[in-house]
Amino acid sequence: AFGWASTLDIGATGVHRLVQALAWPWHALWPAAVPDLSLVEHSRFRHERPLGDLPGLSGQWWRFLLMCLLVYVLLPRVVAYLWLRLRLVRAQARLFRQDPCLAGWWQRLHLPLAERRSEPVHHAPPESETTTGTTEHALPPIDHLLCWNQWQPRWLETARARLPQPLAGQDCTPAEGWPAQRGAAVLLLCQAWEPPTGELADFCERMQNAQVTVYLWPMPLPGMPAERAAALHRSWELFMPQLPACCHLLELSTDED
């Protein structure tokens, strides 16, 4: 049972207008949940009649009370939860995009587990047993002068000063654009301080297919200490077993004549 009372000077008509305003969101969907004026008048609480004029009508307020709980209590909480949840998701996504540490951590959590297995190590045969990566200490007959990567003019001049004529007078052609000539012998100037890469190995494979003999000269920077130059040359010696048999490593003196 439900009854209403007020200490204000307000009658059933005023309360009915208030009830209609509260029931406006659902008045078209559920008209039975909108109390009429008669129900409001007969359910007013009085001390002499606690249940109103017609006690049987007091139980008809349940539809209105139920809709008030749903619309004004439950629905705002659901809407607020969904709105705050959406803002939280967007804030997390923005944080993951802006913070590289969190982005990497989140990616590791969602990627499948990867297993890594070590492959057996095959040791390279000793230099006495291999036919690749031989080191030449004297300059053999050369047909063309090539250079690997970009060279500054002063570096090329330093390299030419250590080469005999007429090789020293040749233009240094970029190796990437040189058309391979079958049976030729080329001197490939390399920058000793730059580690050898897979692109260089691919170039040597093409020269092997064209039957071109390649002499690699990893030239150190002018003025580089001898210990540093020797260490760089050893790193190139370790790279030579990966190259085909047409490639040979040169070890020429870099001292001024």
Side-chain angles (χ1 to χ4, degrees):
F2 175 81
W4 65 274
S6 176
T7 57
L8 302 177
D9 186 13
I10 183 174
T13 303
V15 174
H16 181 251
R17 287 197 296 267
L18 176 62
V19 168
Q20 284 186 322
L22 293 175
W24 182 86
W26 64 85
H27 75 281
L29 299 176
W30 197 4
V34 183
D36 55 12
L37 181 59
S38 175
L39 178 60
V40 174
E41 290 177 347
H42 291 90
S43 59
R44 184 171 186 175
F45 176 83
R46 297 182 178 88
H47 290 285
E48 63 275 11
R49 293 181 180 178
L51 298 180
D53 298 333
L54 298 175
L57 296 178
S58 300
Q60 297 182 9
W61 282 89
W62 71 271
R63 301 179 184 87
F64 173 78
L65 298 177
L66 175 63
M67 293 304 298
C68 285
L69 290 175
L70 293 178
V71 173
Y72 298 111
V73 178
L74 182 61
L75 183 61
R77 286 168 170 78
V78 173
V79 173
Y81 169 78
L82 295 177
W83 179 65
L84 294 176
R85 181 67 180 178
L86 178 61
R87 292 196 60 184
L88 177 62
V89 171
R90 290 182 176 178
Q92 289 177 341
R94 184 168 56 253
L95 179 62
F96 288 144
R97 289 194 303 267
Q98 296 176 354
D99 194 325
C101 295
L102 286 179
W105 169 78
W106 187 260
Q107 185 180 21
R108 289 192 297 271
L109 286 180
H110 287 76
L111 288 179
L113 182 63
E115 296 184 0
R116 178 179 297 178
R117 298 180 180 179
S118 59
E119 298 292 337
V121 178
H122 300 283
H123 296 281
E127 293 185 2
S128 59
E129 301 178 6
T130 180
T131 58
T132 62
T134 57
T135 302
E136 302 287 343
H137 296 273
L139 186 64
I142 299 297
D143 299 319
H144 300 280
L145 180 63
L146 307 180
C147 58
W148 186 257
N149 291 334
Q150 299 294 328
W151 282 72
Q152 295 186 10
R154 60 187 183 91
W155 296 346
L156 288 177
E157 293 300 326
T158 304
R160 286 195 179 96
R162 289 154 177 78
L163 297 177
Q165 294 292 343
L167 185 61
Q170 291 188 14
D171 292 333
C172 192
T173 305
E176 296 85 347
W178 181 70
Q181 300 179 9
R182 184 173 297 272
V186 299
L187 175 61
L188 183 61
L189 296 181
C190 302
Q191 300 169 1
W193 61 94
E194 292 289 344
T197 61
E199 295 181 0
L200 178 58
D202 295 340
F203 171 78
C204 294
E205 288 291 342
R206 293 196 301 270
M207 297 300 103
Q208 172 76 9
N209 297 333
Q211 299 181 3
V212 175
T213 304
V214 181
Y215 295 93
L216 290 87
W217 181 22
M219 178 184 168
L221 280 172
M224 179 177 290
E227 296 80 3
R228 176 59 177 166
L232 293 176
H233 191 83
R234 285 193 296 270
S235 67
W236 280 81
E237 289 178 344
L238 296 176
F239 179 69
M240 292 304 296
Q242 305 178 29
L243 301 181
C246 69
C247 297
H248 306 274
L249 186 65
L250 284 179
E251 186 177 3
L252 302 180
S253 173
T254 57
D255 297 334
E256 294 290 338
D257 294 336

